[in-house]
Amino acid sequence: MKIETAELRQIEMELVEPFETSGWRETLRPAIIIALHSEGLTGYGECVAGAGPWYSYETVQTAWHVLKDFLIPAVLGKSFASAEELQAALGRIRGHPMAKAGLEAAFWDLLAQSQKSSLAQLLGGTKERIESGISIGIQKDIPELLSVIEHRRAQGYKRIKLKIKPSWDVAVLRAVRERFPDIELMADANAAYRLADREHLKHLDEFRLLMLEQPLDYDDLIDHAVLQKELKTPICLDESIKTPEDARKALELGACRLINIKPGRVGGLLNATRIHDLCRGRGVPVWCGGMLETGIGRAANIALASLPGFVFPNDISASARYWREDIIEPPFVLERDGTITVPTGPGLGVQVVPERLKKVTTRREILQR
Ligand code: OSB
Ligand code: MG
């Protein structure tokens, strides 16, 4: 497929409620939507870099710069038959995985459409429905959190993930476990602790958590390996795994027992499937994380999560969990059994609604050779 034109749009969408982690709080979600045109088709990808360098060093501004000045010029006017070929053209550009992933996602959508295949099918997906879990941010107090969990359970979310930090952990999890003794529960610290907190972290073992996500520093593997030996709770790495090589090293060191795969964090869907394959070969379960995606990024995550190694519930919730009005149709909905149906139409399998995309666009640029 020859990349004829590329269109970059920065968008900004208001979350239905603020989302707070150990390190930052979001109310307006920016993103970059990349559209690639080829042979009369349009492929869409979402770059999940945030407003500031809180989750990773990338921001919408750095991603715009790298996409416009380096990534898109490396592919414009050229033909690619596969994501491997596209990645080879980007090979000289180091880092910036979210920028790369957004561009690659648009290419995957094009490729799937041209083959009259769904993205899920093209990636090797085998599931018709994916398991949906929900990530619940830090709340004002424990009673408020308990009522949020109650509400989300009633909606059908099977697995509850709680954001934690040193001042919002043991007492919170104890209260949640007392009220909901049997739910599938996990916690995500977004790198809020250090190895010196190991004795404190051992208290989390009493809450029968499915896993503890990224307790230590955002680029650490070594200390996680030390901590995992001392904890009963499985550690799941998020921020620390940026490449398939990181995943291999983490497993070899024993830094985690599980891996959360986010296409944006690992440079795209191709690397995401490589990490899936590596983990599957070693009997390590994976699941798909989320970055508060619009329907475009959400659709790609759902396609990825349909691969057979995604055995834990994913951080992929319904469109309405974050958006009053998603930019795609139909929006993703939660089925009564706590799943989301994998689209079967060509490409992403959902339609981007042009007027809605236009309404949220704050900056736009068309790149042609
Ligand atoms: O650490 O998994 C994370 C959202 C933004 C950045 C990082 C994370 C998250 C979430 C929410 O936990 C996942 C989602 O529902 O999209
Ligand atoms: Mg996380």
Side-chain angles (χ1 to χ4, degrees):
M1 310 214 70
K2 183 170 167 189
I3 311 293
E4 294 154 11
T5 319
E7 184 180 348
L8 288 179
R9 275 174 192 271
Q10 186 173 326
I11 63 166
E12 198 159 70
M13 285 174 62
E14 193 180 355
L15 296 166
V16 294
E17 60 191 28
F19 187 77
E20 187 173 327
T21 75
S22 62
W24 68 93
R25 183 183 165 92
E26 304 188 57
T27 48
L28 276 179
R29 177 73 185 151
I32 298 170
I33 302 299
I34 298 112
L36 295 179
H37 302 283
S38 177
E39 300 165 12
L41 301 171
T42 303
Y44 285 100
E46 176 170 342
C47 168
V48 298
W54 323 128
Y55 170 83
S56 80
Y57 64 80
E58 290 183 274
T59 71
V60 268
Q61 295 274 20
T62 68
W64 185 280
H65 161 54
V66 171
L67 277 159
K68 180 184 167 208
D69 296 325
F70 300 102
L71 298 173
I72 291 173
V75 303
L76 259 189
K78 298 191 183 135
S79 285
F80 305 100
S82 66
E84 282 86 349
E85 284 186 12
L86 183 90
Q87 284 296 348
L90 308 179
R92 287 188 331 119
I93 300 156
R94 288 186 178 163
H96 303 281
M98 292 176 179
K100 286 175 182 164
L103 175 64
E104 197 213 56
F107 178 76
W108 276 105
D109 183 23
L110 269 182
L111 197 63
Q113 289 179 50
S114 78
Q115 298 181 11
K116 301 194 165 37
S117 158
S118 68
L119 178 59
Q121 213 178 350
L122 188 60
L123 291 172
T126 53
K127 298 176 194 176
E128 287 170 23
R129 282 174 294 277
I130 59 120
E131 308 245 359
S132 179
I134 189 163
S135 176
I136 298 178
I138 291 167
Q139 305 293 314
K140 150 172 131 288
D141 54 29
I142 291 174
E144 179 68 29
L145 175 65
L146 295 176
S147 85
V148 170
I149 296 174
E150 187 87 67
H151 169 62
R152 296 305 186 183
R153 295 272 307 152
Q155 286 182 319
Y157 289 104
K158 277 190 195 162
R159 181 278 269 147
I160 301 289
K161 165 167 134 181
L162 301 182
K163 292 293 190 182
I164 59 166
K165 61 179 178 179
S167 58
W168 181 262
D169 57 9
V170 176
V172 171
L173 288 166
R174 180 165 294 127
V176 171
R177 258 305 174 225
E178 269 169 23
R179 174 77 170 276
F180 305 97
D182 301 319
I183 61 170
E184 284 192 47
L185 184 66
M186 60 176 286
D188 184 359
N190 288 105
Y193 300 89
R194 292 297 172 265
L195 190 57
D197 301 315
R198 69 225 268 181
E199 291 308 317
H200 177 72
L201 288 170
K202 283 184 195 171
H203 291 297
L204 303 186
D205 274 341
E206 78 177 86
F207 305 121
R208 293 172 286 114
L209 302 179
L210 217 48
M211 65 191 87
L212 173 61
E213 187 174 334
Q214 195 72 34
L216 308 181
D217 218 353
Y218 72 94
D219 58 356
D220 172 75
L221 295 179
I222 308 284
D223 285 356
H224 278 104
V226 176
L227 181 65
Q228 180 65 92
K229 284 187 190 70
E230 297 185 14
L231 288 187
K232 279 191 280 181
T233 307
I235 291 176
C236 171
L237 289 177
D238 174 355
E239 284 91 329
S240 289
I241 308 296
K242 294 162 184 95
T243 62
E245 275 296 276
D246 286 345
R248 178 184 65 76
K249 290 171 190 170
L251 296 177
E252 271 165 26
L253 282 170
C256 61
R257 294 196 200 128
L258 300 161
I259 291 179
N260 152 337
I261 303 182
K262 294 178 181 174
R265 195 192 66 228
V266 303
L269 290 163
L270 179 62
N271 273 348
T273 61
R274 286 179 173 149
I275 295 174
H276 163 271
D277 296 350
L278 171 90
C279 289
R280 194 146 186 255
R282 296 179 185 220
V284 174
V286 301
W287 55 282
C288 184
M291 290 293 293
L292 316 178
E293 285 88 352
T294 75
I296 294 173
R298 203 163 292 274
N301 287 356
I302 289 169
L304 177 67
S306 75
L307 270 69
F310 287 77
V311 298
F312 277 94
N314 307 284
D315 270 354
I316 306 177
S317 43
S319 292
R321 187 260 180 275
Y322 290 116
W323 316 118
R324 241 174 292 279
E325 183 181 70
D326 205 340
I327 54 176
I328 51 133
E329 275 294 335
F332 288 108
V333 294
L334 189 69
E335 306 291 346
R336 276 167 47 189
D337 64 352
T339 65
I340 292 176
T341 303
V342 181
T344 53
L348 295 176
V350 290
Q351 297 305 313
V352 175
V353 182
E355 315 80 73
R356 294 190 201 158
L357 184 57
K358 207 167 156 190
K359 214 163 57 185
V360 296
T361 298
T362 57
R363 183 181 183 190
R364 176 169 174 257
E365 197 155 323
I366 292 180
L367 298 143
Q368 266 162 321
R369 251 175 101 84

